[in-house]
C-alpha cells in the first residue's frame, strides 16, 4: 500500500496545529455557570485565552481577573450613554467602575454601548461619539492612560459588502457618526470594533465559504482579489468603507464572531462539526498572520463568542450554544484552546454533543443514498486507519479519545453490507431563481418582533402601510406575520446582505417565497 494513496484530508488530521492567544466574550446568562474566580483561574492556567470582553461592568468579574494578567474589556450599557456626555458623570463612572480595580485588573478597552448605530434609538446614536470623547478625558484626568475607548458595531453599518470594493458605510451614519468616531479612534490609537458573523450569512450553497473550507472563492474584479472565506470578505468590506472616509490606518478589531454547536431543528448548520470548523479555522487564520487580500500581513485582535453555553439565553437553541465550554469547563469540541492540547483539523467532526441539542445526523435529510456511498468511501480500510491513528495521537485527551472511538464504531455499524447504492439525482429546489427572503424565526418572541416592526417603521422612507388595517398584508393580523413582511422589506431595501436579516438573531433567511394571495413580499 503506497503512502500516496492515503487521502490528503486524513493525513492533515494527524498534523499538530499551533494555537496562539485568542480573546473570548464572557457572557453570564446562565443559572449553572461556575464562580467567576474559578473561571479566571481556569482561563489563566488551562487555556491560551489571554483576553476577555464582558457585556457590563460586573465588579465580581473584574475583581476575579485581578493579578491574572488576562486583559479585561468592559461595556457601558447602552442606556448609560447620554449621561456620560457630562464630564462630571463620566468621572464618577470611572471612579466607581475602573479606579477601584486598577491596575490589579488589566483593563484593555471600555466598550461604549453595543451595536448602538444599528439599534438606536436616535438619542443614543447622537450621544455615542460625544460620550466616548468625554469618557476618554475622564480616564486621562484620573491618571489612567493605558485603557482605550471604542464601541462595537454590527455589520448593519454597511450599505453593501459584496464585493468588498463596492462596500461603504450607510449614508447618514458614514459622515455623521462613523467619521467622527474613526477620527477619535485614530487620535487615541484605538481599534474600530465590528461583529462579523458568517453564521448568519450561511446557505447550503456557500457553506464552505463561511466555514474556512476549500471552495472556489469569490473574485472581486475591481481589486483583482479572490476571497476564499466570508470573514475576509467582510473585513475587507469594512476596510474599504473606512478607506472611503479617509481612515484606512485605524486598527480593526473582531469584537464578536462565532458559530453555535447546536440549534433549533430548522438550523441544521448549527452543529458541533461546523462550530469546530469555523472557530478552529478562525484560530488558525489568526495565528497565521496572513491578513486579508486587501490587508496582507495584518493581525486582528479577535474575540470568539462565546466562552460558555448559556442556558438562559434564547429563545432559540442557537443562542444557548455558542460556547466553547460547558459550565463544568469541559470543551464542547476541541480546537486547541486548552494548553498542552493538540488541535485537530477544524474539519474533524467533534464528538461532544451541544447542550440542549442532539449531535447533528451524519446523513442530511433527503440524501440517504449519497450519504451511504460517502460513508462507505469514508471508512475504507486506508481512511479508517488514518482516523484511528489520529485518535491514538490524541490519547492524552482521554475523553476525546473515548468519544472518537464511539463515533467510529457507530459509523461502522451504519454502513451498508452490500454494494454502495448509486447516489440519487439531486432534487429540484422548491425555491425559484436563487432569490432570498427574510422572515421571523419561529421561536422569536412577539415582543422582540414588535421591536423589529417599530425599528423599521421608524426609519425615514419606510413603507409600513401594507401591514396596517386595509393593507394587502394586514391579514393575518398578528405580530409574527407583520414582522416577517416588514423585516423582509428592510432586508430587500438595504443591500440584501445576510446580516440585514439578523435583527438581534430573530430573523432567518428563506429561499421559499413567503408571499400569500395579495400580500406580495419584495424580492
Amino acid at each position: 500500500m503506497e503512502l500516496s494513496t492515503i487521502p490528503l484530508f486524513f493525513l492533515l488530521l494527524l498534523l499538530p496545529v499551533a494555537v496562539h492567544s485568542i480573546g473570548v466574550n464572557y457572557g453570564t446568562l446562565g443559572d449553572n455557570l461556575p464562580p467567576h474566580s474559578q473561571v479566571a483561574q481556569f482561563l489563566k492556567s488551562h487555556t491560551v485565552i489571554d483576553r476577555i470582553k464582558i457585556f457590563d461592568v460586573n465588579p465580581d468579574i473584574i475583581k476575579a481577573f485581578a493579578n491574572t494578567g488576562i486583559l479585561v474589556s468592559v461595556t457601558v450599557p447602552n442606556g448609560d450613554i447620554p449621561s456620560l456626555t457630562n464630564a462630571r458623570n463620566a468621572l464618577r463612572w470611572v471612579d466607581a467602575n475602573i479606579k477601584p480595580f486598577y491596575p490589579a485588573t488589566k483593563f484593555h478597552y471600555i466598550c461604549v454601548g453595543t451595536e448602538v448605530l444599528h439599534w438606536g434609538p436616535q438619542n443614543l446614536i447622537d450621544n455615542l461619539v460625544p460620550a466616548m470623547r468625554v469618557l476618554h478625558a475622564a480616564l486621562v484626568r484620573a491618571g489612567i492612560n493605558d485603557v482605550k475607548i471604542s464601541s462595537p458595531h454590527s455589520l448593519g453599518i454597511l450599505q453593501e459588502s459584496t464585493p468588498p470594493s463596492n462596500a461603504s458605510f450607510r449614508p447618514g451614519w458614514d459622515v455623521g457618526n462613523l467619521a467622527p468616531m474613526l477620527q477619535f479612534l485614530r487620535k487615541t490609537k484605538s481599534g474600530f470594533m465590528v461583529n462579523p458573523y458568517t453564521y448568519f450569512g450561511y446557505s447550503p450553497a456557500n457553506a464552505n465559504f463561511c466555514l474556512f473550507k476549500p471552495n472556489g472563492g469569490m473574485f472581486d474584479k475591481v481589486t483583482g482579489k479572490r476571497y476564499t472565506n466570508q470573514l475576509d470578505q467582510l473585513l475587507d468590506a469594512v476596510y474599504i468603507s473606512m478607506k472611503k472616509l479617509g481612515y484606512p490606518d485605524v486598527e480593526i478589531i473582531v469584537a464578536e464572531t462565532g458559530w453555535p454547536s447546536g440549534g433549533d431543528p430548522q438550523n441544521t448548520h448549527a452543529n458541533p462539526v461546523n462550530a469546530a470548523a469555523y472557530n478552529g479555522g478562525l484560530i488558525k487564520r489568526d495565528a497565521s498572520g496572513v491578513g486579508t487580500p486587501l490587508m496582507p500581513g495584518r493581525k486582528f485582535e479577535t474575540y470568539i463568542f462565546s466562552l460558555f453555553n448559556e442556558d438562559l439565553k434564547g429563545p432559540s437553541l442557537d443562542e444557548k450554544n455558542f460556547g466553547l465550554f460547558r459550565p463544568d469547563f469541559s470543551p464542547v469540541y476541541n480546537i486547541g484552546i486548552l494548553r498542552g492540547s493538540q488541535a485537530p483539523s477544524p474539519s474533524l467532526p467533534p464528538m461532544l454533543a451541544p447542550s440542549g441539542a442532539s449531535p447533528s445526523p451524519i446523513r442530511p435529510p433527503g440524501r440517504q443514498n449519497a450519504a451511504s456511498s460517502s460513508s462507505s468511501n469514508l471508512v475504507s480500510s486506508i481512511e479508517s486507519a488514518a482516523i484511528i491513528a489520529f485518535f491514538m495521537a490524541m490519547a492524552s485527551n482521554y475523553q476525546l479519545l473515548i468519544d472518537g472511538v464511539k463515533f467510529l464504531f457507530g459509523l461502522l455499524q451504519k454502513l451498508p453490507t452490500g454494494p454502495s447504492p448509486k447516489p440519487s439525482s439531486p432534487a429540484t429546489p422548491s425555491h425559484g431563481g436563487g432569490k432570498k427572503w427574510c422572515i421571523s424565526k419561529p421561536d422569536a418572541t412577539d415582543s422582540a418582533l414588535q421591536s423589529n416592526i417599530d425599528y423599521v417603521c421608524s426609519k425615514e422612507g419606510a413603507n409600513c402601510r401594507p401591514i396596517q388595517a386595509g393593507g394587502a398584508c394586514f391579514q393575518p393580523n398578528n405580530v409574527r406575520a407583520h414582522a416577517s413582511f416588514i423585516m423582509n422589506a428592510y432586508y430587500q431595501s438595504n443591500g440584501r446582505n445576510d446580516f440585514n436579516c439578523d435583527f438581534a438573531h430573530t430573523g432567518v433567511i428563506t429561499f421559499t417565497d413567503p408571499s400569500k394571495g395579495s400580500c406580495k413580499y419584495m424580492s
Side-chain angles (χ1 to χ4, degrees):
M1 183 181 302
E2 297 182 1
L3 182 63
S4 60
T5 63
I6 301 179
L8 178 61
F9 171 78
F10 293 102
L11 287 177
L12 292 176
L13 292 182
L14 304 179
L15 299 178
V17 178
V19 176
H20 295 252
S21 60
I22 194 77
V24 69
N25 286 274
Y26 176 14
T28 56
L29 293 179
D31 60 9
N32 57 354
L33 299 180
H36 305 309
S37 58
Q38 290 184 16
V39 174
Q41 290 306 311
F42 171 73
L43 295 186
K44 177 184 178 181
S45 303
H46 299 289
T47 78
V48 298
I49 294 168
D50 68 345
R51 61 199 63 209
I52 64 164
K53 184 164 72 72
I54 62 176
F55 296 95
D56 50 24
V57 282
N58 186 324
D60 293 332
I61 297 179
I62 295 172
K63 283 189 291 187
F65 280 85
N67 303 310
T68 62
I70 295 174
L71 298 176
V72 176
S73 294
V74 299
T75 301
V76 175
N78 286 15
D80 291 351
I81 290 173
S83 69
L84 293 180
T85 59
N86 178 281
R88 186 172 297 177
N89 290 340
L91 194 57
R92 287 196 192 104
W93 191 94
V94 171
D95 286 342
N97 297 293
I98 304 298
K99 283 188 71 174
F101 314 104
Y102 176 88
T105 297
K106 293 182 67 174
F107 290 101
H108 186 36
Y109 270 93
I110 298 174
C111 303
V112 181
T114 300
E115 300 184 346
V116 175
L117 296 189
H118 190 84
W119 298 112
Q122 194 62 43
N123 181 45
L124 299 187
I125 294 173
D126 293 341
N127 284 289
L128 177 57
V129 176
M132 293 170 68
R133 293 191 185 116
V134 174
L135 191 55
H136 173 73
L139 286 171
V140 173
R141 184 175 174 183
I144 301 173
N145 298 303
D146 56 350
V147 178
K148 300 180 179 183
I149 304 287
S150 191
S151 183
H153 302 281
S154 80
L155 291 194
I157 60 174
L158 296 177
Q159 178 75 9
E160 180 61 73
S161 64
T162 306
S165 60
N166 196 38
S168 63
F169 292 126
R170 292 192 181 282
W173 289 348
D174 54 356
V175 177
N177 305 99
L178 293 170
M181 182 181 294
L182 288 165
Q183 182 183 43
F184 166 80
L185 296 175
R186 174 189 280 171
K187 182 179 179 180
T188 58
K189 295 180 172 58
S190 303
F192 184 65
M193 292 184 167
V194 293
N195 299 340
Y197 282 91
T198 70
Y199 173 72
F200 298 113
Y202 173 91
S203 71
N206 73 348
N208 288 353
F209 190 62
C210 290
L211 292 167
F212 297 106
K213 294 181 178 181
N215 63 89
M218 182 195 75
F219 185 71
D220 189 332
K221 295 180 181 179
V222 175
T223 62
K225 303 296 184 181
R226 181 171 295 279
Y227 292 85
T228 57
N229 69 81
Q230 192 176 64
L231 183 64
D232 282 357
Q233 175 212 323
L234 295 174
L235 290 177
D236 274 357
V238 172
Y239 169 76
I240 287 290
S241 301
M242 295 167 63
K243 186 176 182 180
K244 288 179 179 179
L245 291 181
Y247 298 94
D249 55 311
V250 175
E251 177 189 4
I252 297 173
I253 295 176
V254 179
E256 283 184 37
T257 190
W259 199 285
S261 60
D264 296 318
Q266 68 273 19
N267 297 329
T268 56
H269 57 297
N271 60 62
V273 177
N274 287 348
Y278 180 77
N279 287 325
L282 175 72
I283 291 174
K284 289 182 68 177
R285 175 195 171 283
D286 183 69
S288 72
V290 68
T292 70
L294 293 181
M295 295 178 282
R298 193 159 165 179
K299 291 204 69 173
F300 301 90
E301 184 174 341
T302 300
Y303 295 82
I304 295 176
F305 186 86
S306 60
L307 179 56
F308 292 112
N309 284 339
E310 300 171 63
D311 65 345
L312 296 183
K313 293 198 73 172
S316 70
L317 284 175
D318 309 46
E319 289 295 312
K320 300 176 189 291
N321 285 287
F322 269 92
L324 297 173
F325 295 95
R326 298 184 181 82
D328 64 357
F329 296 113
S330 63
V332 180
Y333 41 83
N334 178 24
I335 51 174
I337 288 287
L338 293 173
R339 291 188 184 277
S341 67
Q342 176 179 299
S345 165
S347 53
L348 174 71
M351 308 310 163
L352 301 174
S355 65
S358 301
S360 60
I362 294 173
R363 306 176 190 170
R367 305 183 73 112
Q368 286 84 355
N369 290 341
S372 297
S373 177
S374 175
S375 297
S376 179
N377 292 332
L378 173 68
V379 291
S380 65
S381 59
I382 296 173
E383 294 170 345
S384 298
I387 295 174
I388 294 171
F390 173 78
F391 290 126
M392 291 176 66
M394 289 300 295
S396 60
N397 188 332
Y398 182 69
Q399 185 59 51
L400 182 64
L401 177 63
I402 291 175
D403 290 331
V405 173
K406 288 180 180 178
F407 168 81
L408 180 60
F409 280 98
L411 184 61
L412 289 171
Q413 291 174 355
K414 294 176 180 288
L415 289 177
T417 56
S420 300
K422 182 179 179 180
S424 58
S425 301
T428 302
S430 59
H431 54 82
K435 294 181 179 180
K436 297 192 289 186
W437 293 265
C438 176
I439 59 174
S440 58
K441 282 187 175 180
D443 57 4
T445 64
D446 283 355
S447 60
L449 296 178
Q450 184 61 54
S451 295
N452 296 344
I453 295 173
D454 296 342
Y455 170 74
V456 175
C457 292
S458 69
K459 296 292 181 181
E460 184 177 354
N463 179 18
C464 295
R465 289 189 298 273
I467 65 169
Q468 296 170 358
C473 298
F474 179 66
Q475 296 294 343
N477 181 18
N478 60 65
V479 172
R480 185 168 304 281
H482 291 178
S484 288
F485 179 85
I486 292 300
M487 290 161 66
N488 179 70
Y490 179 88
Y491 167 75
Q492 302 292 348
S493 303
N494 288 275
R496 296 187 178 92
N497 301 298
D498 292 304
F499 52 74
N500 295 130
C501 186
D502 183 8
F503 288 97
H505 313 336
T506 62
V508 64
I509 298 293
T510 180
F511 295 90
T512 302
D513 187 354
S515 301
K516 292 183 180 179
S518 60
C519 180
K520 303 298 183 183
Y521 278 58
M522 291 176 60
S523 63

